[in-house]
Amino acid sequence: MPPRLPISVVDLEPHAAAELARAAGPIRADPYAEGDVFARQVRAAAASLPQGDLTAVVDHFAAQQGSSSLLIRGVPIPASLPRTPAGSFHQQPEARPTGAEPVLALVGARLGEVFAYREWDGAHLVQNRYPVASHHQVQTASGANDLVLHTEACFTAYPPDFLALLGLRPDPTGQAVTLVSDIPQALAQLTPAERGALREPLFVFPTDRGSYDHEGRRTTEPVPLLKDRADGPALEYSTLITAITAPAAAALAALEEALGRCAQSVLLGSGDLLLIDNRQAVHGRTAFRPAYDGTDRWIQRVLLLRQLPSGGRVVPDTRLAHYPTDYIKALALPA
């Protein structure tokens, strides 16, 4: 297997940034209150986006040619931003669009259709991620502890094909580093026996709402981590997964070590847009110390599917019934 590339980095030229801002201008709908209208405007703007260096590099990435993540620097964002909110964005009555959402969604539209999970973030098509004090110890993007390496929405019926993360405000401490690790590169470091073990239904998540018993603890039903698809192997992964046999545990440990060796670090600054191929990469974030004073790290995110399911762009999180009770309570999710 030829060596995989690290994260590709593109610096957007000022004229290209201005062109992108102009193309996003007609996208005026509120993504939080007018999701369907916003999505239609994004699709129309994407169709009229002039062909150039930016579209070429994003289309190259979308075709899985090269790296599994792409960092675009110099994306235009508003010169003035509100203070980083204190609570969950969808629960803030004063929450309004920042003005960065159209550009984020417009670039994302080169990769797929924007969609959302019904139970998360008020079903917003653009999600806002920043530290929330009450989530400090929770394993989530709004917490401050290490966000473990994972594929986004693993084991749900509708995992995104791509993610797009736009830096609005960087972490002033420089501690919150995004990690991305290439899945094919990591799998190539495993033995055939280890990859074979990953294909067996031998892996569970511990949860007090689980239906399976493993060594006296309730867990989800065992599933394989690695599946073979027409376009290549597909890995669904989180560091929180547990193996139920010794060979599976050894394969899981080897995978975790390989993903760690392949991990690349990105400190997202203002106007940095990170595109992640969720079929080809896992991602996470290092721990940091928020001040909760309006100056903390703030990113916006869109999830993207190559093709929307028949039900539309707001889909259910089919894993919800198995989330631990304390996690559901901490994030105020529907039980």
Side-chain angles (χ1 to χ4, degrees):
M1 174 180 178
R4 298 278 297 183
L5 298 174
I7 295 172
S8 294
V9 180
V10 174
D11 291 304
L12 207 57
E13 296 291 341
H15 74 275
E19 191 173 67
L20 180 58
R22 283 194 299 272
I27 307 172
R28 297 190 176 93
D30 184 335
Y32 311 114
E34 307 170 285
D36 287 338
V37 179
F38 177 79
R40 287 198 298 271
Q41 292 180 353
V42 168
R43 180 49 56 199
S48 62
L49 184 64
Q51 295 295 315
D53 293 342
L54 175 61
T55 55
V57 73
V58 174
D59 291 350
H60 184 81
F61 171 74
Q64 295 183 302
Q65 298 175 354
S67 62
S68 55
S69 54
L70 171 65
L71 178 62
I72 305 172
R73 292 186 171 134
V75 170
I77 63 171
S80 178
L81 292 170
R83 293 169 64 82
T84 303
S88 297
F89 193 86
H90 67 285
Q91 297 174 337
Q92 304 293 303
E94 73 281 6
R96 298 290 185 273
T98 65
E101 294 90 349
V103 168
L104 167 62
L106 178 57
V107 176
R110 301 294 300 192
L111 304 175
E113 294 283 347
V114 178
F115 79 104
Y117 294 110
R118 182 178 301 134
E119 300 84 359
W120 292 87
D121 303 284
H124 290 165
L125 294 182
V126 177
Q127 295 101 46
N128 288 267
R129 292 289 182 261
Y130 47 79
V132 175
S134 61
H135 301 170
H136 187 86
Q137 301 292 335
V138 183
Q139 183 55 221
T140 181
S142 54
N145 282 343
D146 286 315
L147 183 62
V148 301
L149 288 176
H150 62 285
T151 47
E152 189 67 28
C154 53
F155 305 108
T156 190
Y158 309 103
D161 293 316
F162 298 96
L163 299 79
L165 311 177
L166 176 61
L168 299 185
R169 177 170 289 132
D171 174 24
T173 70
Q175 297 171 321
V177 175
T178 300
L179 303 172
V180 182
S181 186
D182 187 89
I183 290 172
Q185 185 180 18
L187 290 176
Q189 298 179 20
L190 304 186
T191 67
E194 290 167 339
R195 290 193 293 270
L198 297 177
R199 289 183 167 89
E200 298 296 325
L202 300 172
F203 305 92
V204 298
F205 280 98
T207 172
D208 64 333
R209 292 155 61 94
S211 56
Y212 184 80
D213 182 277
H214 172 56
E215 297 181 344
R217 299 179 63 192
R218 295 178 71 181
T219 72
T220 56
E221 292 290 326
V223 293
L225 301 188
L226 187 59
K227 300 176 182 178
D228 292 309
R229 302 188 310 191
D231 58 349
L235 179 75
E236 295 187 85
Y237 175 79
S238 167
T239 305
L240 303 178
I241 288 169
T242 298
I244 61 174
T245 69
L252 184 60
L255 174 64
E256 182 174 355
E257 291 173 3
L259 289 170
R261 286 191 296 269
C262 298
Q264 303 283 323
S265 300
V266 180
L267 185 63
L268 288 175
S270 299
D272 286 350
L273 177 57
L274 180 62
L275 308 179
I276 300 173
D277 187 334
N278 197 47
R279 304 158 300 173
Q280 297 286 305
V282 297
H283 67 284
R285 190 212 63 240
T286 56
F288 63 113
R289 295 181 180 178
Y292 304 115
D293 62 354
T295 67
D296 287 323
R297 177 182 188 260
W298 185 357
I299 65 172
Q300 289 184 330
R301 180 183 80 168
V302 290
L303 307 176
L304 302 148
L305 283 172
R306 286 185 175 273
Q307 183 173 356
L308 292 175
S310 58
R313 66 180 69 251
V314 177
V315 304
D317 181 353
T318 55
R319 310 159 301 175
L320 195 66
H322 297 130
Y323 285 134
T325 301
D326 57 356
Y327 183 77
I328 289 176
K329 288 180 177 179
L331 298 184
L333 297 175

